[in-house]
Amino acid sequence: MNLSMNFIKANDQMCTFDHHVNAPLFRKRFTLDNTPRWAKITICGLGFYELFVNGKNITKGPLAPYISAPDDLCYFDCYDVADYLTEGENVIGVMLGNGMHNAFGGFIWDFEKASWRSSVKFAMTLTANGQELFSADETFVTHPSPITFDDLRMGCWYDANLELPGWSEPGFDDSSWQPAQSADAPRGTPKLCEAEPIAVSAEIKPVNIFKCTGGYIYDFGVNTAGVCRLKINGRPGQKITMTHVEILMDKKPYLENISFVRPESWDIYQKYNQKDVYICRGGEAEFVPSFTYHGFQYVFVEGLSEDQATKDALTYLEMHSDLPVRGSFSCSDSTVNKLYEMAHRSDLANFYYFPTDCPHREKNGWTGDASMSAEHMLQWLGAEKSFAEWLANIRACQREDGAVPGIVPTGGWGFEWGNGPAWDSVIVNLPYYTYQYTGDKKIIIDNASMIMRYLHYATTQFDERGLLAIGLGDWLQPMEDGTAATNSADAPLELTDSAIVFDMANKASFLFEQVGLLPQARFAAHIAENLLNALRINLMDPKTCTAAGNCQTSQALFLALGLFKDEEIPQAKQVLLDMIHEKNDHLSSGMIGLRYLFHVLSALGESELAYAMITNDTYPGYGQWVKDGATTLYENFEKDLSFQEGETAHIPSLNHHFLGDIASWFVKSLAGLRFNPNADDVRRADVCPSFVDGLAFAKAEFTAPDGKISVGWKRADRNVDDFVNKIRNTDAGGAINTIVLSVTAPETIHGQIVLPKGYSFLRGGTCCDLEGGTYTIVKDVE
């Protein structure tokens, strides 16, 4: 496939906040003697493109081709276009947006200083019946489009008075257009994009519209991500401004939680942040912003007259990567169901080719966020292709010494701050969990060299004790004063960093073994062994079995990663329980601790406590967000979230996914569906449910490589319970003690059903081989 690196541009002008430059249009006329049997176009737009063939927009989706650093990788898309071509005159049309190539709105992370930055450009080739017809060159002609400003993070401004009807169709008069200019090829390696495209998944109508000072507020009822389609019968020159926000303050749009409130940047955010502008030509019109997206629930619309402010004027086009769904969960607790829904909405709103940390303020591929969410995302989404594509970008920007940045793509920002083992662990966790849930070994092979380079790098960071402390710690731990800590968490940085590298080395050793890289496996295992000893000697009190920091995160990490010996676990468990009880059974962990804490409690037979902590509706608890009316997961826990009126505490981003591992806990511990628990056999599934008192039923599904696995349990009705008690010759006082467990799975799937302490099968025993069918389970009589 010809991925031509012959790029062309309109001119050398670059759009900035101080100098708006219209997105350029390009067109190419050509004649065909006959309709080709097959024809393909390969195209790379830097930053984004929209592709037209004979007036038809055939672009795969918004923000094509990908979001990458063109110094690393240059992404191409390939289109079958034979059906769009005709005998005689044909036209190829291209419109370019700034995208990551000119991401001046990302100045907080130095993207406006990126070495690759230049005016937008593209390369393309048309091939028909096996013969190259042409590539992008100076025979293309160019003209400014009606898009007068566009930025991935900020928005899109459009002047309909500049429209050129039919510009991408045959017969259009382009005599006033200028010839395109040759452009320097980017330094990145050309690559065909294999990640799923971004698509519109839903059209959401407003649930409420009300007038406010200066305009109208449109409330769409949910906080998610995308753009708004505007439909209007406008007056010539009428200007419509749409500002997208997560929350309102005194019935006005509130920008501070989705902006960087700094003296040098606040004016820019006030003027541009998440703002789309449309200037009417007059008459009926429809506008969908290009080359941007927003995270929001509310839109503040300025410029509408009262008769125009209808429910049909704005429609929320919810967008995200078009990932297949392969898992689900539900139960009898509405709070748990809501949290599961919120986690998934946050996952999707933050998945634009790769996981991002928020769909409004940053839109960055923060590595730590993805590392914490990798497993729960793969449990319900077919994200492995997109993960593999993003890993190619992480490999491309890995520094020679093995370090990786905290955000990918990057122009160099994120090496001095914003990374460290908990973030860098993405390079192991994405391959590990992808392998666990799909059995794909290619992702191991593709990333083995990157993992080895990082492990070598980690060894250069050890201090004289064999520990390291080089990155961010237990990010956003909830504090007693109702705020969230950043680098002042209770868990010592040397503990979290060293424990995470220990985990990376163990997983790396396992992955290397799976693909026959035995020397590499031994090297990784040696690092893990040294760290195990260093952690136990320096960061654990052997008398009390307490990890350094005396906090939930430290104790949970030591328990989760096997840093306590078997004989120490009972005492270490009691230490953790005491820590939790001291907080009145509230969580007190940040991003790292919350990835492990609830799984550890279930492994210790304390699912009831984990369930109570998660559903707790007081600070800090996930149930607090549900009580608050949230529709997505927040960035962190804040004691005061009453931000509807007057003064308030700091308001976090209200749409993050990195605290969403509770969704994995719901599946693995409440429903009990644990697919491939040792990550070495995609034909194994264990069922280990927790029959917590607050639930009447729980069920989960997962589509494995061999087919769908379903697990569900429910409490029996009174008649069944009485019947079982009679068989057992017991009198349980009329309480419902009987559980009915149902399992369906392909015949090739094997595993075990393991019951929690205090329960047994009616036929006897607490463990049996996994087979499809229905099982009657009874609570043991005390």
Side-chain angles (χ1 to χ4, degrees):
M1 183 176 296
N2 184 6
L3 304 182
S4 168
M5 294 293 279
N6 295 323
F7 280 78
I8 60 173
K9 60 187 178 183
N11 49 54
D12 289 324
Q13 293 190 65
M14 289 188 291
C15 189
T16 66
F17 292 121
D18 298 324
H19 177 59
H20 293 190
V21 174
N22 295 46
L25 302 174
F26 299 83
R27 60 180 263 124
K28 164 80 173 180
R29 289 181 291 169
F30 60 99
T31 302
L32 294 175
D33 295 332
N34 49 60
T35 303
R37 295 186 308 277
W38 70 267
K40 293 183 182 295
I41 286 177
T42 55
I43 180 169
C44 171
L46 297 176
F48 300 137
Y49 73 84
E50 290 186 8
L51 175 64
F52 301 79
V53 179
N54 290 331
K56 176 74 171 177
N57 188 336
I58 66 168
T59 315
K60 69 179 184 182
L63 313 183
Y66 194 72
I67 299 174
S68 66
D71 269 3
D72 296 332
L73 294 170
C74 296
Y75 278 92
F76 284 76
D77 290 319
C78 183
Y79 295 88
D80 292 320
V81 296
D83 291 344
Y84 302 105
L85 299 175
T86 63
E87 183 178 335
E89 183 181 357
N90 293 268
V91 172
I92 301 295
V94 175
M95 180 167 65
L96 295 181
N98 288 298
M100 190 56 71
H101 190 67
N102 181 27
F104 55 93
F107 58 91
I108 298 293
W109 309 276
D110 296 340
F111 281 115
E112 88 287 3
K113 302 174 184 176
S115 59
W116 63 73
R117 190 170 175 233
S118 70
S119 59
V120 294
K121 53 192 174 184
F122 79 99
M124 66 153 289
T125 300
L126 173 63
T127 304
N129 296 336
Q131 179 181 359
E132 181 179 316
L133 299 187
F134 58 82
S135 292
D137 58 19
E138 292 89 337
T139 63
F140 279 73
V141 291
T142 184
H143 191 280
S145 78
I147 295 177
T148 61
F149 172 92
D150 72 273
D151 178 77
L152 170 65
R153 291 173 174 82
M154 296 296 176
C156 174
W157 298 19
Y158 187 97
D159 188 346
N161 297 284
L162 304 179
E163 288 178 345
L164 300 167
W167 71 271
S168 61
E169 298 175 3
F172 176 81
D173 181 8
D174 61 11
S175 58
S176 64
W177 289 38
Q178 300 299 308
Q181 302 174 18
S182 177
D184 292 337
R187 288 177 284 273
T189 303
K191 187 180 189 307
L192 199 65
C193 183
E194 297 179 59
E196 286 84 358
I198 295 165
V200 174
S201 61
E203 296 193 2
I204 306 170
K205 287 294 185 181
V207 298
N208 189 25
I209 304 170
F210 60 88
K211 196 170 186 177
C212 66
T213 303
Y216 292 86
I217 296 291
Y218 277 68
D219 178 2
F220 290 94
V222 293
N223 189 23
T224 180
V227 295
C228 275
R229 179 178 63 218
L230 171 69
K231 286 187 176 181
I232 188 170
N233 186 356
R235 304 181 304 275
Q238 182 180 3
K239 181 179 178 180
I240 310 298
T241 301
M242 297 173 284
T243 303
H244 305 74
V245 297
E246 289 192 302
I247 55 175
L248 305 177
M249 183 73 73
D250 297 328
K251 298 183 180 179
K252 298 176 184 177
Y254 185 75
L255 283 171
E256 289 193 18
N257 79 309
I258 59 172
S259 306
F260 282 88
V261 186
R262 300 174 181 173
E264 71 275 15
S265 62
W266 182 235
D267 287 346
I268 290 174
Y269 277 102
Q270 287 277 73
K271 184 176 180 180
Y272 289 99
N273 192 24
Q274 295 214 121
K275 189 169 291 187
D276 297 327
V277 178
Y278 180 78
I279 299 176
C280 300
R281 186 175 186 172
E284 297 283 348
E286 182 177 302
F287 166 60
V288 177
S290 297
F291 309 133
T292 191
Y293 73 97
H294 312 299
F296 64 100
Q297 175 174 334
Y298 303 94
V299 183
F300 173 50
V301 188
E302 300 170 272
L304 287 181
S305 61
E306 186 172 356
D307 63 304
Q308 292 171 329
T310 67
K311 283 196 172 185
D312 293 330
L314 260 65
T315 302
Y316 199 148
L317 304 182
E318 184 179 29
M319 304 190 315
H320 50 75
S321 285
D322 192 17
L323 304 174
V325 174
R326 65 170 172 221
S328 65
F329 169 86
S330 64
C331 71
S332 59
D333 186 324
S334 61
T335 295
V336 171
N337 288 339
K338 185 67 175 179
L339 287 169
Y340 188 75
E341 174 191 314
M342 289 159 58
H344 287 185
R345 184 175 289 114
S346 297
D347 287 347
L348 292 176
N350 284 284
F351 211 119
Y352 279 67
Y353 294 122
F354 46 79
T356 63
D357 77 322
C358 58
H360 37 69
R361 184 180 64 220
E362 298 201 27
K363 298 180 173 70
N364 279 319
W366 278 94
T367 53
D369 299 37
S371 186
M372 298 301 113
S373 294
E375 182 174 20
H376 90 252
M377 285 185 173
L378 285 162
Q379 282 178 331
W380 83 282
L381 289 172
E384 57 271 15
K385 287 171 58 178
S386 288
F387 279 173
E389 196 68 84
W390 190 45
L391 280 163
N393 288 263
I394 300 175
R395 294 195 300 272
C397 68
Q398 185 179 28
R399 210 164 58 186
E400 186 174 347
D401 66 357
V404 293
I407 60 171
V408 179
T410 180
W413 190 95
F415 285 102
E416 300 304 319
W417 185 92
N419 58 350
W423 275 248
D424 308 338
S425 62
V426 73
I427 69 172
V428 172
N429 281 339
L430 260 61
Y432 179 85
Y433 290 114
T434 297
Y435 180 61
Q436 177 178 359
Y437 286 97
T438 70
D440 174 28
K441 290 186 177 180
K442 184 176 185 300
I443 199 167
I444 304 174
I445 296 167
D446 288 347
N447 295 287
S449 177
M450 173 172 63
I451 295 170
M452 275 293 291
R453 287 175 64 193
Y454 183 85
L455 292 177
H456 277 285
Y457 162 75
T459 63
T460 69
Q461 304 301 307
F462 292 154
D463 62 19
E464 67 281 0
R465 299 168 300 165
L467 303 172
L468 71 167
I470 59 173
L472 299 180
D474 195 24
W475 190 249
L476 299 178
Q477 176 190 338
M479 307 301 287
E480 294 290 345
D481 63 0
T483 63
T486 53
N487 286 333
S488 57
D490 291 335
L493 180 61
E494 59 186 0
L495 185 147
T496 52
D497 274 4
S498 301
I500 294 297
V501 173
F502 168 73
D503 183 53
M504 291 175 70
N506 271 328
K507 287 174 177 171
S509 180
F510 168 81
L511 292 174
F512 291 149
E513 285 183 354
Q514 300 305 299
V515 294
L517 298 174
L518 300 185
Q520 292 88 336
R522 289 191 291 271
F523 174 74
H526 180 66
I527 293 175
E529 182 180 2
N530 288 342
L531 278 166
L532 171 66
N533 294 328
L535 281 158
R536 285 183 54 82
I537 291 170
N538 297 287
L539 297 177
M540 187 200 85
D541 183 342
K543 294 180 180 179
T544 63
C545 295
T546 303
N550 192 31
C551 62
Q552 292 179 16
T553 291
S554 295
Q555 199 73 3
L557 266 177
F558 260 66
L559 283 161
L561 302 182
L563 292 165
F564 287 118
K565 295 180 179 179
D566 289 348
E567 61 270 21
E568 296 168 335
I569 289 176
Q571 187 175 354
K573 169 187 173 179
Q574 189 58 52
V575 170
L576 177 60
L577 295 181
D578 290 344
M579 292 173 178
I580 293 171
H581 297 328
E582 286 173 6
K583 299 291 184 181
N584 295 317
D585 291 356
H586 284 71
L587 60 89
S588 64
S589 294
M591 170 178 125
I592 298 172
L594 289 176
R595 172 64 181 89
Y596 297 96
L597 177 61
F598 305 119
H599 297 287
V600 164
L601 287 173
S602 286
L604 297 173
E606 297 292 340
S607 290
E608 290 280 359
L609 177 58
Y611 172 77
M613 294 172 70
I614 292 170
T615 56
N616 197 316
D617 66 1
T618 58
Y619 173 84
Y622 287 88
Q624 176 194 14
W625 297 343
V626 176
K627 183 180 179 181
D628 184 56
T631 58
T632 44
L633 301 181
Y634 294 175
E635 181 179 14
N636 56 270
F637 300 95
E638 294 280 344
K639 193 169 189 177
D640 180 9
L641 289 170
S642 56
F643 43 70
Q644 295 304 315
E645 299 284 347
E647 294 298 320
T648 181
H650 169 69
I651 300 170
S653 157
L654 306 184
N655 195 343
H656 270 62
H657 62 83
F658 65 11
L659 300 183
D661 188 69
I662 53 171
S664 175
W665 184 82
F666 296 156
V667 171
K668 294 170 71 173
S669 293
L670 291 185
L673 176 51
R674 303 186 183 189
F675 177 72
N676 193 7
N678 299 319
D680 59 356
D681 184 357
V682 291
R683 288 182 168 171
R684 175 167 183 167
D686 289 347
V687 176
C688 308
S690 298
F691 306 131
V692 298
D693 290 342
L695 294 183
F697 74 86
K699 58 183 179 180
E701 290 185 343
F702 176 75
T703 302
D706 280 17
K708 182 179 290 187
I709 304 169
S710 300
V711 174
W713 63 264
K714 63 181 180 180
R715 299 190 186 278
D717 60 35
R718 183 72 62 188
N719 291 333
V720 173
D721 197 54
D722 289 343
F723 177 72
V724 170
N725 283 330
K726 185 177 293 186
I727 292 175
R728 299 170 72 207
N729 193 26
T730 61
D731 180 6
I736 302 294
N737 292 306
T738 307
I739 304 289
V740 178
L741 173 71
S742 299
V743 177
T744 60
E747 292 183 358
T748 53
I749 298 294
H750 65 96
Q752 289 189 317
I753 301 174
V754 181
L755 301 183
K757 184 179 179 180
Y759 289 87
S760 58
F761 296 105
L762 181 60
R763 65 193 183 201
T766 60
C767 178
C768 70
D769 290 339
L770 181 100
E771 292 182 1
T774 300
Y775 300 80
T776 302
I777 297 164
V778 293
K779 191 172 185 178
D780 296 343
V781 178
E782 296 180 358

